[in-house]
Amino acid sequence: MAFALAAGLAASAFAQPVGIRSPSWAELPAAEKQVLAPLATDWDLLDAQRKQKWRGIAQRYPKMTPDEQQRMQQQMRTWAQLSPEQRAAAREQYKTMKTLPPEKKQEVRQKWEQYQTLPPETKRELAAKPAPAPGTKAPAPKVQPPPGPSAPAPAASPPPPPQTAPGGTPPPTGLPAPR
C-alpha cells in the first residue's frame, strides 16, 4: 500500500499541469517567431488552445514543401487581417462545411473553383453585393432566349426600385417585402 502511494506521488510530480501552457510572444523560440510572424501583433491576445494549434503548425512548418510553406504564410497573413467577428464567422463556416455530406462538399468546391476563375472586377462586384439570407438561395440570373425570326424583341423596362425592410435593409431574397 505504501509503495502504491509513493508511486502515485512520484507520478504526480512529473505530470503536466491541467491547463495548457500559453507562452507570450517574447517566450517563443526564434524559429517559431519567424514562422508565426504574421500573428505577432495578435499573439498575446490569443487563448492558450489557439496558441498551441499555431505552435503545432510552426513545428511542422520545416517539413512542409516550399509551396505548402508559401500557402501557410499567405493564410496566416489573411487570418491576421480578419477582425475577431470575421474570424468567428470563418470558424462557424468551417464547422458547417465539416458536417456537409461529400456530394455537397464537392458542389461547394466546384463553385469555389468557378469563382477563382472570375476576373477581379467581377469578384469585386460580387463582394459588394449583400449575401443572401441563410436558408435562401441566391436568385438565378434571368436569361432570355434571343428573339427568333417571328418573335419581336421584348422592350427593355427599367427594374423596379428596391424595397427596403424596416431599418433600411433589403428583404431577404425570395421573400416579399414588408408592407
Side-chain angles (χ1 to χ4, degrees), residues 37-108:
L39 304 173
T41 57
D42 294 325
W43 183 261
D44 290 327
L45 303 174
L46 297 175
D47 62 51
Q49 185 179 11
R50 297 213 195 292
K51 286 180 181 180
Q52 285 304 113
K53 286 182 179 183
W54 283 115
R55 290 188 75 196
I57 290 169
Q59 290 165 3
R60 290 190 306 272
Y61 188 84
K63 296 178 189 107
M64 295 178 184
T65 66
D67 286 344
E68 290 172 327
Q69 290 177 346
Q70 183 180 6
R71 183 172 174 257
M72 183 56 58
Q73 286 292 314
Q74 179 56 43
Q75 288 176 337
M76 274 192 276
R77 283 190 291 275
T78 301
W79 186 257
Q81 293 171 354
L82 296 177
S83 70
E85 294 80 20
Q86 291 170 319
R87 291 177 188 177
R91 286 185 194 105
E92 286 303 314
Q93 188 173 15
Y94 177 77
K95 287 178 190 175
T96 301
M97 287 292 295
K98 281 185 76 169
T99 63
L100 289 178
E103 61 275 0
K104 287 287 186 184
K105 286 181 184 179
Q106 183 60 31
E107 183 181 327
V108 171

Side-chain angles (χ1 to χ4, degrees), residues 162-179:
Q163 297 177 339
T164 58
T169 59
T173 307
L175 300 177
R179 297 184 186 248

Side-chain angles (χ1 to χ4, degrees), residues 25 28-39 58 61 73 76:
W25 182 256
L28 289 177
E32 287 184 26
K33 283 183 183 179
Q34 184 178 6
V35 172
L36 300 172
L39 304 173
Y61 188 84
Q73 286 292 314
M76 274 192 276

Side-chain angles (χ1 to χ4, degrees), residues 102-146:
E103 61 275 0
K104 287 287 186 184
K105 286 181 184 179
Q106 183 60 31
E107 183 181 327
V108 171
R109 278 189 204 99
Q110 288 173 342
K111 287 182 180 182
W112 177 248
E113 288 170 7
Q114 289 173 350
Y115 172 80
Q116 293 293 70
T117 64
L118 294 174
E121 60 274 3
T122 306
K123 289 181 183 179
R124 282 191 290 275
E125 289 172 12
L126 290 172
K129 290 182 182 179
T136 62
K137 286 187 172 183
K142 294 181 182 178
V143 179
Q144 294 184 355

